[in-house]
Amino acid sequence: MSDQQLQPGDVRRLERYASTLYSPATWVQAAALVCILVGVIGFAAGLTLSPGRAWGAFLANFLFWTGLSMASMAMTATFNVSHAWWGRPIQRITAGLSAFTPVSLIALGILWFGRHEIFWWLGDADRSPWLQIGPLFIRDAAILAIASFLAIWSLRSSIRPDLGAMIEDGVSSRSGLAGWATRGWKGRGEEKARSMLTLKVLAPVYLLVYVFGMSILAIDLEMSLNPGFRSTMFPVIYWIGEYFGAFAAATILLCSWRSLKPLNELFPVATIRDLGNMLWGTSIFWAYVNWSQYFVIWMGNLPTEAAYVAARWRTQPWEPLAYTMLACSFIVPFALLFLRGLKRTPNAIAAIGALALAGILIQRFLDIFPGMRTLGPSDFGLVEVAVTIGFMGAVALPYLWLMRRVPVYPVEDPLFLRGLATRGVEV
C-alpha cells in the first residue's frame, strides 16, 4: 500500500503488530533493575569510602537525568509549537522519558541528606540570602512538581485520542492507564480536536517552565558550589545542554525502536537524516553558548570567573575530562555530521548520539566536582560510574512502564499522517 493511500486503520494495524513484538521484553526490565542494584551498591560503597564522591556523583546524575527528562518533553513541546510534522513519528518515544520527572522528586529528597557534603556555604554566615537550604529545596521541589504536572497533563492529552480510538475499535480494554486517560470520553472527532487544542496551549507554558525552572536548578545546585562565581550564561548552558542531550537520546531511541520490522516502515531514513541535522545544529548552539561564557570571562579578565575555568581546564584530573567533554559534545558530532551519507545510517547516528550524551554527562560532573571541598585531587572513578548506571536504570524503568501501555506513534494526530505522506514512505 502506498503512503498516499495510508489511513489511520492501516497505521493502527502496524501498531497492533508492533505491540506483539515489544512488550517490552522481560530481559530489558530485568537489566534496568540490575542497573539500579549496581547503582545502590556503588552509592553505598561511596558513602563508606568517600561521602563527598558519592553525593557529588548523585547530584551530577540527578541534574543530568532530570534535565534530560524535562528536555525530552520540551523537545516535544517544540514540535507542537512549530507544528513540525517531521517529528511526529518520534515525539512519543522521546516524550516517554519525561516519565522520570516525577521520580526525580524522590531523588531531590535523597539529596537533602547529603546537603552538608555538597554545599560548602552552609557554614558561611555571610552567604547570600538566596542560599538558605530550606527555601532552596522547597523552590526546587516546586519546579519539579510543576514540570511533572505539566508533563503528565501533556502526555495524557497526547495519548487520549489514540487509546480512546483503540478502545472503540476493540483493540484495547478500558482498564489501567487506558481507563484513566480516556475517562469521560466524548467521541473520536471531539477528542482529537480537544487534544490538539490542549497541546497547543500547554506547549509554550511547558517551554517557559523548562527555561526558567532549569535556570533556577542550575543556580541552586551547580553555580552555588563555586564560591564567587557568577555568570548569566551558566543557567543557559545547563538547559541548552540538556536540550541538546534530548536530541542525542532521541537518536538512540529512534534507532532502537526502528530495529523492529513493523516500526522501520514508519521511521524512514529521512526522519533519521532530519534528526541528524538537528543534532548537528544543537551541538553548534551548545558550543556557542559555552564559548559566549568563556569569551566574556577572557575579554573582561574577571579573576573569580577565570579561576572557575582554570580549575576545570588547567587542573588534574579535570583537564583530560574537559577536553573529552569538548570532543564528545562538539568536535566529533560537528565533524562527522557534515557527512550526508552518515546521517542516513541509523547505527552511526545512534553512536554519535551516545557520544554526545556522554559529553553532556561529563559536563555535569565538571560543573560540580571541582567546586566540592570534600573531594581529593584524584577522586573520580568506579563510584561515579556505578551511580550513573543506577540512574540509567531508574530512568529506564518508568520509561518502559509507560511505553508498554501506550501506542508507539500518535495514530490520531493528523500531522503524523501528513508527515508520512509527504515523506513518501512505503507501508
Side-chain angles (χ1 to χ4, degrees), residues 39-108:
V40 170
I41 294 173
F43 183 63
L47 290 177
T48 302
L49 301 174
S50 178
R53 287 182 63 186
W55 286 113
F58 192 96
L59 176 58
N61 276 281
F62 166 79
L63 286 165
F64 174 75
W65 294 106
T66 299
L68 189 65
S69 68
M70 292 176 64
S72 67
M73 181 56 71
M75 188 175 81
T76 303
T78 305
F79 291 155
N80 287 321
V81 167
S82 60
H83 297 281
W85 48 260
W86 74 267
R88 251 46 187 189
I90 66 172
Q91 68 175 8
R92 187 157 295 158
I93 64 174
T94 54
L97 288 173
S98 64
F100 178 73
T101 306
V103 180
S104 66
L105 277 165
I106 300 174
L108 181 66

Side-chain angles (χ1 to χ4, degrees), residues 10-333:
D10 302 315
V11 182
R12 195 170 291 112
R13 173 180 55 80
L14 290 181
E15 179 71 64
R16 292 197 296 270
Y17 182 31
S19 299
T20 64
L21 296 179
Y22 188 81
S23 352
T26 305
W27 72 266
V28 179
Q29 299 179 80
L33 290 171
V34 170
C35 286
I36 293 175
L37 179 61
V38 169
V40 170
I41 294 173
F43 183 63
L47 290 177
T48 302
L49 301 174
S50 178
R53 287 182 63 186
W55 286 113
F58 192 96
L59 176 58
N61 276 281
F62 166 79
L63 286 165
F64 174 75
W65 294 106
T66 299
L68 189 65
S69 68
M70 292 176 64
S72 67
M73 181 56 71
M75 188 175 81
T76 303
T78 305
F79 291 155
N80 287 321
V81 167
S82 60
H83 297 281
W85 48 260
W86 74 267
R88 251 46 187 189
I90 66 172
Q91 68 175 8
R92 187 157 295 158
I93 64 174
T94 54
L97 288 173
S98 64
F100 178 73
T101 306
V103 180
S104 66
L105 277 165
I106 300 174
L108 181 66
I110 294 174
L111 276 175
W112 171 264
F113 298 99
R115 61 192 184 280
H116 293 289
E117 293 288 342
I118 297 171
F119 302 109
W120 63 269
W121 41 260
L122 282 175
D124 186 358
D126 298 327
R127 66 181 181 270
S128 166
W130 179 266
L131 298 180
Q132 301 297 324
I133 196 65
L136 182 148
F137 272 85
I138 291 173
R139 64 174 171 263
D140 291 351
I143 289 167
L144 294 180
I146 294 170
S148 298
F149 172 75
L150 291 174
I152 292 172
W153 192 358
S154 299
L155 281 172
R156 184 176 185 267
S157 298
S158 173
I159 65 177
R160 181 179 172 90
D162 295 323
L163 291 177
M166 293 176 74
I167 291 173
E168 283 189 358
D169 295 342
V171 178
S172 177
S173 62
R174 195 182 295 273
S175 62
L177 179 65
W180 170 77
T182 58
R183 190 176 302 158
W185 178 257
K186 297 181 179 179
R188 187 174 300 186
E190 183 176 343
E191 292 292 347
K192 186 185 298 187
R194 180 183 177 185
S195 172
M196 294 290 289
L197 178 61
T198 302
L199 292 174
K200 184 179 180 180
V201 173
L202 287 179
V205 175
Y206 187 88
L207 288 173
L208 288 173
V209 170
Y210 172 74
V211 170
F212 288 106
M214 294 277 281
S215 296
I216 293 174
L217 289 178
I219 293 170
D220 285 351
L221 302 178
E222 287 189 284
M223 194 164 73
S224 71
L225 302 183
N226 301 279
F229 177 68
R230 299 291 183 271
S231 171
T232 54
M233 287 301 299
F234 189 89
V236 180
I237 290 172
Y238 176 48
W239 60 261
I240 285 294
E242 295 298 320
Y243 192 74
F244 173 33
F247 278 100
T251 62
I252 300 171
L253 292 172
L254 173 62
C255 294
S256 299
W257 284 94
R258 195 176 183 274
S259 64
L260 300 177
K261 184 177 179 181
L263 294 182
N264 63 17
E265 299 181 62
L266 294 174
F267 295 146
V269 172
T271 301
I272 296 174
R273 183 200 61 205
D274 289 339
L275 201 52
N277 287 332
M278 291 300 299
L279 187 63
W280 182 73
T282 49
S283 73
I284 296 173
F285 193 40
W286 173 87
Y288 167 75
V289 294
N290 279 274
W291 171 257
S292 297
Q293 176 177 268
Y294 171 78
F295 186 73
V296 171
I297 294 171
W298 178 61
M299 288 294 291
N301 194 23
L302 308 175
T304 304
E305 285 72 14
Y308 168 86
V309 176
R312 288 149 180 81
W313 293 86
R314 291 294 183 267
T315 305
Q316 297 297 327
W318 316 119
E319 182 178 0
L321 282 177
Y323 283 103
T324 301
M325 177 266 294
L326 180 62
C328 291
S329 297
F330 174 63
I331 296 176
V332 174

